[in-house]
Amino acid sequence: MSHPANPESLAADGWHRKSLPGFAGLIGPLWVRKEGQAWAYGLLATENHLNPAGVVHGGLLTALLDHGLSAIAWQALDRRACVTVQLDTHFLAAARVGQFLEVRGDVLRATSSLVFMRGELSVAGQVLATGAAVLKVLDPGPGAKPAPA
């Protein structure tokens, strides 16, 4: 994105605001964009996301990376819910207020019960954090319809 990030510029760049319940809704609003066959997830950093040092809190970066990778897995597995078993996060640079944080990831391998992921959190193409995750595919429960093939 070559211009300052704000809701109008994000919408112009194809991002859609996503209102979610629970914790994901508290850290947002979150944004989503379809990029070819892949999905990207984002968040516009505000004063509420800062730590006492004045940069975006590492916990927020980790939560965004976790949410993005889980959502990417959910899409890849025909909308089967997954929960994080392990997330290794490596911080490479700080994020600042006003920056638009973007998460992209890939499914490395999926079994019947586990999904192995990798991803990056970036701002304007600069990678701020990387992550490797293992997710557990949840049993849909009794009475649930199988996902379409």
Side-chain angles (χ1 to χ4, degrees):
M1 214 180 281
S2 59
H3 43 77
N6 60 56
E8 293 78 23
S9 67
L10 293 173
D13 285 338
W15 291 92
H16 302 279
R17 188 175 172 154
K18 188 153 179 95
S19 297
L20 296 169
F23 182 74
L26 293 176
I27 65 170
L30 297 175
W31 294 79
V32 63
R33 179 169 74 178
K34 180 89 171 172
E35 299 178 340
Q37 297 295 59
W39 289 89
Y41 294 86
L43 181 140
L44 184 56
T46 70
E47 298 281 338
N48 292 333
H49 300 123
L50 301 182
N51 65 19
V55 296
V56 175
H57 196 288
L60 181 271
L61 299 177
T62 302
L64 180 59
L65 193 56
D66 181 47
H67 176 79
L69 292 178
S70 295
I72 291 165
W74 179 76
Q75 288 288 349
L77 297 174
D78 295 323
R79 299 184 172 199
R80 292 183 62 202
C82 301
V83 294
T84 305
V85 175
Q86 180 177 337
L87 175 61
D88 297 325
T89 306
H90 298 268
F91 301 102
L92 307 173
R96 311 242 179 240
V97 73
Q99 291 182 320
F100 187 64
L101 314 174
E102 302 175 31
V103 172
R104 290 174 181 81
D106 297 299
V107 174
L108 300 175
R109 181 168 182 244
T111 70
S112 62
S113 61
L114 295 174
V115 184
F116 299 85
M117 306 279 304
R118 71 170 168 213
E120 294 181 341
L121 187 152
S122 63
V123 170
Q126 178 191 4
V127 177
L128 305 184
T130 62
V134 179
L135 300 123
K136 170 77 172 143
V137 180
L138 294 180
D139 181 357
K145 295 178 183 176

